[in-house]
Amino acid sequence: MVIKVFLASSSGSTAIKKKQQDVVGFLNALKIDYAQLDIASNEENRMWMRENVPGDRKPTNGIPLPPQIFNEDNYCGDYDTFFDAKEDNSVYEFLGLTSPPGFKKMPTAEEEEQEGAVEDEAGNHEEELESEEEEELQELEEEEELQQLEEEEAED
């Protein structure tokens, strides 16, 4: 599988340049293999990119701007969806790749909620145990006091 990043090597927009650098820099940092396809100097790349971005993902003017990201011929997304995946620590899923061993995915809100419920349950169980231990300790102390009172009465 080849990740394809469609870029414009001679874009006049600093915003587009920054977005392109962000995508490429992040892929490099994760050591993900990818191919950069220039749409500024290669008309075939430009046409392929424009034809393969799904209609519902194109901007209102119909012309998608770089960077656009594909896994082979499967559309992954544009910079905004890439950024969201990066923030959610789900870039591998976004790219349609398997996470490498040891990669720690950030839990989703739903997973965090479930984890919190498990922790609450464990915390409640601990509280129950502590409460039972306190009751047993209190019973022992009462028995000792009773025993001392009985011994004192026996001495009198």
Side-chain angles (χ1 to χ4, degrees), residues 111-127:
E111 290 169 339
E112 283 181 347
E113 196 174 292
Q114 288 174 348
E115 188 175 303
V118 169
E119 287 175 1
D120 286 347
E121 204 172 289
N124 289 342
H125 185 66
E126 281 182 25
E127 289 174 14

Side-chain angles (χ1 to χ4, degrees), residues 3 24 26-35 91-92 95 97:
I3 301 301
V24 169
F26 197 75
L27 294 175
N28 284 332
L30 291 179
K31 297 182 173 127
I32 294 174
D33 291 330
Y34 65 95
V91 172
Y92 289 100
L95 296 170
L97 301 174

Side-chain angles (χ1 to χ4, degrees), residues 29-88:
L30 291 179
K31 297 182 173 127
I32 294 174
D33 291 330
Y34 65 95
Q36 292 185 43
L37 301 168
D38 188 10
I39 64 167
S41 65
N42 186 316
E43 185 65 25
E44 285 180 27
N45 287 342
R46 180 185 353 228
M47 295 309 295
W48 192 94
M49 180 194 82
R50 288 182 178 178
E51 290 170 7
N52 288 283
V53 170
D56 63 331
R57 303 298 295 273
K58 289 182 181 177
T60 52
N61 70 2
I63 301 171
L65 298 173
Q68 296 292 329
I69 306 161
F70 290 79
N71 182 333
E72 293 291 340
D73 294 341
N74 299 316
Y75 183 68
C76 298
D78 60 4
Y79 176 77
D80 292 332
T81 53
F82 172 81
F83 181 81
D84 291 343
K86 188 171 98 169
E87 289 295 305
D88 293 340

